[in-house]
Structures are given as structure tokens and as C-alpha cells.
Amino acid sequence: MKDQKQILAKLMSLDNANADKYLVKFADELFEKIKLASNNEEVLQYLDVLEEFIYKVPKQSIAIAQYVIEQFFEPQIFPEMGNLKGKEHDDVVVKAISLLEHLRYIDPQEVLKIILTLTKDEDKNIKAKALEVVKKTAQYDFNVLTKSKIGYGI
């Protein structure tokens, strides 16, 4: 997994159409793996991988985030550890919100559409994280304006 993340980080740094196509294909494959996942731990592992190259695949990342927010798995039980419960659905949703936060200036309309619905969630962690992203989106960010392709620093 660590080697895979390093390779993805390297591909992310390239300004190359073939590398970008590969990352889109990889994101699609990751989405299929997420759809086949059987527990929240698996989903969170895949989301960690996605985070490495999320800026290159915003459309796929938003679709993945929306899917994992709506998909629900019961927490995995680890009997060998005294019936310890695994990650809950809210952990997956908070991670998805964190991923969407990375894309808030790339596709603000889609990101905010998802985030704003989560600000009404009953779970306090989900609601707090969603409100934090809304607040950050509304803030002035000098780096976005001057050092990214989004602002005027081209």
C-alpha cells in the first residue's frame, strides 16, 4: 500500500496526459473495489489511496464520496480482540467529507451540494466536519488565488 501511494504521488506530480488518463482509470478501478467492499475498514483504506491523487480525478472522487456516504456497512466485529467493533459508518462519512474538502474550490457547486445536506445530519461528528468545510469554503484563501490553477496565479 505504501509503495502504491508513492507511485500515485509521483504520477500526480507529472504534468502528462498519459499519467492523468492512468489516474482516471485507476480511480474508476478503485470505485469498483469500493463497490465490492464488505466493511468500513476496506472502504477507508481505498479512500486513503484516493486521497493521494484526488486533485487529478475530481469527478470520480465526488462520485466515490457520494457513494460511500450513502452506502452503509455494519461495523466489523473482531472476536480475536474481545469482540472489538471496527469503524462505524460515520467514520467513513467524515473521511468522505475530508476528501470533498480538497475539492471545494475545484467543483464548489457539487461539493457544497453534498456537504450542505450533511450539515443537517444527526451525528455530531458528521455535522461538525461538514460545517467546518462550509466555513473553510467561505474563507478567503490567498494561496488558492495566487498559487493554483484555480485562481489568477497561472
Side-chain angles (χ1 to χ4, degrees):
M1 186 77 84
K2 186 179 178 185
D3 291 338
Q4 187 178 41
K5 285 184 177 184
Q6 289 174 337
I7 292 168
L8 291 170
K10 190 69 165 171
L11 286 170
M12 176 84 173
S13 68
L14 298 175
D15 191 17
N16 179 291
N18 288 333
D20 292 349
K21 285 180 189 175
Y22 176 80
L23 290 172
V24 168
K25 181 178 176 258
F26 188 80
D28 290 338
E29 291 169 2
L30 203 58
F31 196 3
E32 291 307 313
K33 289 179 182 179
I34 288 170
K35 289 178 183 177
L36 296 173
S38 60
N39 60 60
N40 294 323
E41 279 76 11
E42 279 184 75
V43 173
L44 286 167
Q45 281 184 326
Y46 294 135
L47 294 179
D48 282 341
V49 172
L50 177 63
E51 191 169 23
E52 293 297 318
F53 64 104
I54 192 166
Y55 297 111
K56 292 281 189 171
V57 291
K59 184 177 132 192
Q60 292 81 0
S61 299
I62 291 170
I64 290 170
Q66 183 70 53
Y67 178 82
V68 300
I69 289 167
E70 294 169 357
Q71 188 66 33
F72 184 82
F73 292 111
E74 288 294 326
Q76 190 173 5
I77 304 293
F78 298 98
E80 66 277 2
M81 301 176 90
N83 288 334
L84 181 71
K85 277 177 98 174
K87 298 290 185 178
E88 299 276 351
H89 179 65
D90 65 321
D91 296 315
V92 174
V93 175
V94 168
K95 179 66 175 182
I97 294 169
S98 294
L99 294 177
L100 290 170
E101 181 179 350
H102 293 301
L103 303 172
R104 70 186 187 274
Y105 296 121
I106 296 171
D107 193 345
Q109 189 171 6
E110 283 301 310
V111 169
L112 285 174
K113 184 168 66 171
I114 297 167
I115 297 294
L116 288 175
T117 61
L118 295 172
T119 61
K120 301 172 191 158
D121 199 275
E122 292 177 13
D123 185 283
K124 64 180 170 109
N125 294 329
I126 293 172
K127 185 176 185 171
K129 184 66 179 171
L131 287 170
E132 177 186 322
V133 173
V134 171
K135 182 179 175 183
K136 285 182 177 180
T137 303
Q139 288 177 336
Y140 178 80
D141 190 336
F142 183 74
N143 289 324
V144 169
L145 291 175
T146 60
K147 296 180 181 172
S148 73
K149 293 181 180 180
I150 299 167
Y152 49 76
I154 298 175

